[in-house]
Amino acid sequence: MQCRQCGEEVIQEAVFCHRCGARVEADSEAFSETNPIGQDYRHGTANNSGNENRSPAERFRDAAANRSRDAGEPEHTLWEGGYSSKAMLSRWLLSMVVTFALPIGGIWWPRGYVWLAIAAIILLLWAYQLLVLISRRWSVHYRLTNQRFIHELGVFRRVTDRIELIDVNDITFEQGMIDRLVRVGTIRISSNDRSHPELTLAGIEDVAHVAGLIDETYRAERRRRGLLVEDL
């Protein structure tokens, strides 16, 4: 089906042209019968509250979301995870270097209080690294479904936020040299979500697979709702 305004080819279910924003009118009654979105907009059965103040693209997205909910596809979990202890490998290696270097340096100051200070520093160093690991492991949890990405943050006070996959714009991940050895890394999700326009997921195990899964899932969700990825 073509837009009468600009001649652009649009999908059959579209109500507005994704290029110029013009309203697409069907040429037959069959379209009205098979497309509940178009039928609602032509006959005024959709909720028109505030529609006059919204752009055609926003009204199109809402209509597509309504059609998706009407389809009744169940939501199911595709992946769950959190901060991996492997992501702290570089910190542990640095702590080991310090642990061996301090006693060697203490040989040059053979005094009792120096060795007590070295022992205290080493103990505090490893206690700190352990507390960081526990805090990161307990404070974050992520869950990917076929419709949303859910992230939870906090230990004593947990805050749960959700990002609709249709709002996701881009997925990237990065790894350091040591991270590549153990296949962990950081994932960055860029989206239209107001509270988290760019969400950072640190310490994700098997990061390449997880990033690819999120990317494939949000693209599949957009196709399922009948929207073109490049035009949002």
Side-chain angles (χ1 to χ4, degrees):
M1 184 170 63
Q2 289 186 336
C3 173
R4 297 180 179 179
Q5 186 72 20
C6 64
E8 180 71 12
E9 188 72 23
V10 296
I11 60 177
Q12 183 67 25
E13 295 85 357
V15 177
F16 296 94
C17 175
H18 62 268
R19 178 175 294 274
C20 66
R23 186 169 176 176
V24 179
E25 295 291 345
D27 294 330
S28 66
E29 291 298 327
F31 176 75
S32 175
E33 296 175 358
T34 58
N35 187 354
I37 299 177
Q39 188 177 16
D40 287 347
Y41 271 87
R42 277 197 298 276
H43 293 87
T45 57
N47 184 8
N48 293 322
S49 177
N51 276 352
E52 62 277 3
N53 297 324
R54 309 187 67 187
S55 67
E58 290 175 333
R59 293 198 296 268
F60 179 34
R61 288 183 57 188
D62 286 349
N66 290 335
R67 185 186 66 176
S68 173
R69 286 193 292 268
D70 292 340
E73 181 176 342
E75 184 176 14
H76 56 273
T77 301
L78 302 176
W79 172 82
E80 283 189 87
Y83 188 86
S84 173
S85 57
K86 295 179 181 179
M88 292 191 63
L89 180 59
S90 59
R91 298 172 63 102
W92 292 340
L93 292 176
L94 180 60
S95 298
M96 290 178 63
V97 171
V98 174
T99 300
F100 286 106
L102 286 178
I104 294 176
I107 297 176
W108 301 95
W109 291 278
R111 299 181 181 179
Y113 69 88
V114 173
W115 289 102
L116 289 176
I118 291 175
I121 291 174
I122 293 175
L123 181 61
L124 290 175
L125 174 63
W126 285 100
Y128 172 74
Q129 300 289 22
L130 181 60
L131 287 176
V132 170
L133 175 61
I134 293 175
S135 174
R136 293 182 179 180
R137 291 276 293 177
W138 288 3
S139 64
V140 293
H141 182 263
Y142 309 113
R143 183 162 67 93
L144 172 68
T145 75
N146 58 323
Q147 299 176 14
R148 299 180 294 176
F149 185 84
I150 304 169
H151 53 101
E152 302 174 359
L153 179 64
V155 178
F156 300 104
R157 180 177 178 270
R158 175 144 299 202
V159 177
T160 302
D161 201 357
R162 299 164 178 83
I163 298 177
E164 295 290 334
L165 290 181
I166 198 158
D167 289 329
V168 174
N169 295 323
D170 189 35
I171 304 292
T172 59
F173 71 92
E174 58 185 44
Q175 295 175 285
M177 183 177 63
I178 297 179
D179 292 338
R180 291 197 298 270
L181 297 177
V182 291
R183 302 199 308 174
V184 299
T186 299
I187 297 177
R188 302 189 188 279
I189 301 177
S190 176
S191 71
N192 296 325
D193 185 76
R194 293 183 179 181
S195 58
H196 292 86
E198 184 169 328
L199 179 65
T200 301
L201 287 62
I204 302 300
E205 191 169 355
D206 201 5
V207 63
H209 169 72
V210 175
L213 180 61
I214 299 174
D215 184 74
E216 292 174 2
T217 305
Y218 95 80
R219 292 177 184 274
E221 176 66 0
R222 284 190 168 186
R223 288 193 297 269
R224 186 177 73 87
R225 297 195 185 191
L227 299 176
L228 298 177
V229 174
E230 64 271 14
D231 294 319
L232 292 179

